[in-house]
Amino acid sequence: MRTGAPAGHQGYFHEAAFYNTDEEFLAIAIPFLEQGVAAGEPAVVGVGGGTAELLRAALTGIPGVVFLDDREGRRTRPANTIATNRQFLADRLTDGAQQIRVLGEVPHPGLGAPWDWWARYEATINHAFAPFPAWGLCPYDTRLISDDVAADVVRTHPHLATVDGRHVPNPRYQEPADFLAQRPAGDVDPLEATTPPVVDLLDPTPAAARNAARAVGDATVLDEIEVDDTVLAVSEAVTNALAHGRPPVRLRLWSAPERVVASISDAGPGPSDPFAGLLPTRGTTSAGLGLWMIHRVCTHVTMGTTDRGFTIRLVMRSGTTEEDGHVRQPA
């Protein structure tokens, strides 16, 4: 039987909480975790830095709360985070859990992370985690987030927790597909905004795209795996545009010593699946699997449609390879 606010609720119970002092954070987090432990529920924390230290100190003498380290709980790519967390939740159910409580800090610009794909993550997990009796509480420090981030948080969480202990429905919540359909094209990397591309190809073949991406990557400090992943991502994006988009297809590449930026555009409307990129699809007529692979290997990905067509932007930055994220190309 589920406890707390989700009592009687089926599936994933997704909640956000806003705070602006350490005391307010603890007023939200401590009861959530303590009540879960008291009920015999797995109580899991995925926060970082000083927030984790603050919470550990406050929970001294209260056994049963599991802290995920950065390797387990706060990955740099949302597609990988979704895959990892789905497996984690499935394992807890196999172990007999009736409800799993997760206090999870989502990366955002105030923590040094790009926001666009994490906003899409917050919407997507309402769908991706729907089969699981999990209670996910996402705390956001209003001292660190912008008004735009706060607005996205409100639109992606069906429920809100307050510092005085209430759990209330959120009337401004949007269904995930609606939220994702209205996303803008995302931020342009400073390289794209300030310098001409080093490669600009119209209707390239996938082979030409791979050759161009490798040449650009080899001229940076990216390591072999990062260059391979850049080549894979660019090849997949161009192949998708040729197969599922509308001509013309344009590939542009920029480079700096520590990163490669790619923009692939076509005149089509983009993927029909609102969750494309963050969740895999096996459909043979869909670009979804390729987009999922791209999201798993790149440092950052944005996608958007305008009246001129669909554009996907990829960034690969040195030093951000995830061991389980990259996908080797066939020999």
Side-chain angles (χ1 to χ4, degrees):
M1 180 178 295
R2 304 188 70 169
T3 63
H9 181 84
Q10 298 296 313
Y12 186 49
F13 191 88
H14 192 200
E15 210 172 30
F18 296 101
Y19 67 94
N20 61 19
T21 67
D22 291 350
E23 291 74 20
E24 288 186 351
F25 169 73
L26 294 176
I28 293 165
I30 296 299
F32 175 76
L33 297 169
E34 284 185 335
Q35 292 165 15
V37 170
E41 301 166 357
V44 182
V45 175
V47 300
T51 306
E53 295 175 5
L54 176 70
L55 196 52
R56 286 182 187 273
L59 289 170
T60 299
I62 304 174
V65 177
V66 175
F67 281 78
L68 302 178
D69 62 24
D70 283 356
R71 188 71 199 143
E72 293 178 292
R74 301 183 69 247
R75 297 176 183 268
T76 60
R77 295 165 173 84
N80 293 352
T81 301
I82 291 173
T84 299
N85 288 351
R86 282 176 61 90
Q87 186 60 56
F88 179 87
L89 295 173
D91 290 345
R92 302 292 81 73
L93 293 182
T94 300
D95 292 340
Q98 298 299 305
Q99 176 170 270
I100 306 103
R101 298 191 186 211
V102 181
L103 179 74
E105 189 175 56
V106 177
H108 57 74
L111 298 173
W115 175 242
D116 179 70
W117 64 355
W118 287 108
R120 290 193 285 126
Y121 165 90
E122 284 280 50
T124 298
I125 60 175
N126 291 292
H127 170 76
F129 299 162
F132 300 101
W135 182 357
L137 176 57
C138 306
Y140 282 89
D141 188 341
T142 57
R143 296 169 294 186
L144 299 178
I145 62 173
S146 67
D147 290 344
D148 288 343
V149 169
D152 282 343
V153 171
V154 170
R155 293 166 62 200
T156 53
H157 291 75
H159 308 278
L160 300 173
T162 66
V163 295
D164 59 1
R166 291 177 297 121
H167 303 273
V168 297
N170 174 18
R172 289 185 287 170
Y173 169 68
Q174 280 188 293
E175 290 298 321
D178 294 335
F179 174 84
L180 294 167
Q182 297 171 18
R183 293 300 297 163
D187 295 334
V188 174
D189 187 276
L191 276 179
E192 185 178 350
T194 60
T195 62
V198 295
V199 171
D200 192 340
L201 300 177
L202 195 63
D203 292 324
T205 65
R210 289 192 292 271
N211 291 338
R214 186 166 299 281
V216 171
D218 284 343
T220 69
V221 299
L222 270 63
D223 64 26
E224 182 179 355
I225 289 176
E226 290 163 342
V227 172
D228 284 349
D229 285 346
T230 302
V231 173
L232 171 66
V234 169
S235 178
E236 286 290 334
V238 168
T239 299
N240 282 344
L242 293 170
H244 305 289
R246 297 173 186 167
V249 173
R250 187 181 185 188
L251 165 64
R252 291 176 293 166
L253 296 167
W254 292 260
S255 71
E258 81 293 346
R259 73 187 186 280
V260 172
V261 178
S263 171
I264 300 92
S265 60
D266 68 79
S272 59
D273 181 358
F275 307 110
L278 295 184
L279 296 176
T281 177
R282 302 297 178 184
T284 57
T285 61
S286 169
L289 185 57
L291 289 173
W292 183 67
M293 292 169 63
I294 290 168
H295 278 68
R296 296 205 74 184
V297 303
C298 289
T299 307
H300 185 49
V301 180
T302 66
M303 304 189 304
T305 303
T306 68
D307 56 1
R308 292 179 294 178
F310 174 72
T311 298
I312 179 168
R313 292 185 174 91
L314 322 173
V315 179
M316 180 64 78
R317 186 180 295 274
S318 175
T320 57
T321 299
E322 289 187 10
E323 184 176 319
D324 66 347
H326 44 257
V327 182
R328 295 290 194 274
Q329 296 184 80

